[in-house]
Structures are given as C-alpha cells and as structure tokens.
Amino acid sequence: MIDQIIDFNRHFVAEKGYEKYITDKYPDKKLAVLTCMDTRLTELLPAALGLKNGDAKIIKNAGGLIISPFDSAMRSLIVAIYELGVQEIMVVAHTQCGACHMSYSHFQPVMKERGITHETLETISNCGIDINQWLEGFHDTPDSVRNTVKTIQTHPLIPKDIIVRCFIIDSVTGELEEIH
C-alpha cells in the first residue's frame, strides 16, 4: 500500500495537484480542533464544520482525548496558541467512537499474539508508566469531552482568554451537538 501511495504522490506533484491547497502555517480562523483519528471524520468533519485547508489546526488522536496535562495533544494546543495565533479551541468527540470502552485488558492478549512479550509489558510498567491508564478509553462520550475541555481550561499554560468549547459530531450525518 505504501508503494502505491508513493507512486500516486509522484503523479500528484508532477501534475501540480498541490496548488489548490497552498496556504501558510497560520490558521485563518485562529481555530484549533481536537478530535478523533477515526477515518469517518477525515473528510466529514471539515465539511460539516465548513472548514477548508488553512482554516484551522486539526489535532487528531485516538478518542480526541487529552490523557494527561503534558501529552502531545496538549503540547500541540499550546504551540497552536503561542506560535500560530489560535484563539479558540473546539474539542469534537463523535458518536460510535472506538475509544469508547477501549482498555488494556482488550489489547494485552492481542499484543501477546503479535509478539509483545510479558517481559516487555512488565518493563513498561516498571518505568512508571501505568499502561492500564495509558490505554484506557472512556465509557461516556459527553463526560469524556467535558473532561478534556476542563483539562485544557485549567492547564497552567493556557491563557484565560482562550475560548474552549466541546461538541459531539454524528459520525454519519455530521450533525454537531454542543455539550455543556
């Protein structure tokens, strides 16, 4: 698959397919969107929000979560604010998310089947990583998105004038529901 993508890319560049996407690094709408990496949202989310290339910084991870105040999603938001001029943040969860009910107890046997040893998993735990917490998803989507917003709003490096709001988007229709 990667070789096919590389071949496509060569053709894309040769035919200047990139020209309609040219923009700079600063989001035109001064907006960052933290959302899930779910493939259903790849085109649906920007279309449903009316965003075009260059409008917003879109940060994606499994579940659209901030799992700790110093994880990569939080780091990306801080960079977006201080380096790229972001003034508003939308946290957008979605219906039928695979991270809902995700757990280490589910992943552990699959990891072992794929060759990850018990010793490797023990080493990770012995390094101070709570793998159970790290691979835990959530069980209630509205609560999850509220918790992520609270983590952003109470972070010591987030200025108080940054607007942070939370939503759930329907994975099929794109309908957006604000969560309070």
Side-chain angles (χ1 to χ4, degrees):
M1 180 51 61
I2 294 173
D3 288 339
Q4 290 175 14
I5 290 170
I6 291 169
D7 288 343
F8 176 87
N9 177 260
R10 287 186 183 115
H11 186 266
F12 176 83
V13 172
E15 296 200 359
K16 298 186 180 193
Y18 57 85
E19 288 180 342
K20 67 181 182 178
Y21 302 105
I22 294 174
T23 186
D24 64 27
K25 67 180 183 177
Y26 301 98
D28 294 336
K29 296 187 182 292
K30 300 186 182 325
L31 174 70
V33 179
L34 173 60
T35 193
C36 186
M37 66 183 194
D38 192 296
T39 55
R40 294 171 289 184
L41 302 181
T42 301
E43 291 187 35
L44 177 65
L45 180 96
L49 301 183
L51 299 175
K52 64 180 184 359
N53 197 50
D55 282 346
K57 293 299 176 186
I58 300 179
I59 302 158
K60 294 182 163 205
N61 67 26
L65 302 172
I66 293 179
I67 58 172
S68 93
F70 295 95
D71 71 6
S72 65
M74 194 72 233
R75 179 177 179 264
S76 295
L77 290 172
I78 289 168
V79 169
I81 291 166
Y82 290 108
E83 179 65 22
L84 304 171
V86 161
Q87 296 173 358
E88 296 185 58
I89 299 168
M90 291 179 74
V91 178
V92 184
H94 68 99
T95 59
Q96 304 162 358
C97 184
C100 190
H101 309 294
M102 180 176 82
S103 69
Y104 174 60
S105 62
H106 165 76
F107 287 120
Q108 185 183 26
V110 179
M111 289 175 172
K112 287 182 176 181
E113 285 175 19
R114 301 288 304 269
I116 306 302
T117 66
H118 177 74
E119 291 76 24
T120 297
L121 297 172
E122 283 295 313
T123 300
I124 291 169
S125 293
N126 292 336
C127 290
I129 302 297
D130 182 346
I131 198 164
N132 286 300
Q133 182 183 7
W134 188 64
L135 287 175
E136 183 70 24
F138 55 87
H139 305 286
D140 181 284
T141 304
D143 279 349
S144 172
V145 75
R146 280 188 209 101
N147 289 336
T148 293
V149 166
K150 182 179 177 185
T151 300
I152 297 167
Q153 290 174 325
T154 60
H155 196 283
L157 299 178
I158 297 291
K160 299 302 175 211
D161 63 339
I162 297 296
I163 296 166
V164 186
R165 293 169 61 187
C166 57
F167 303 85
I168 297 174
I169 191 169
D170 186 290
S171 299
V172 176
T173 68
E175 181 179 6
L176 202 60
E177 174 190 359
E178 187 161 11
I179 303 300
H180 299 281

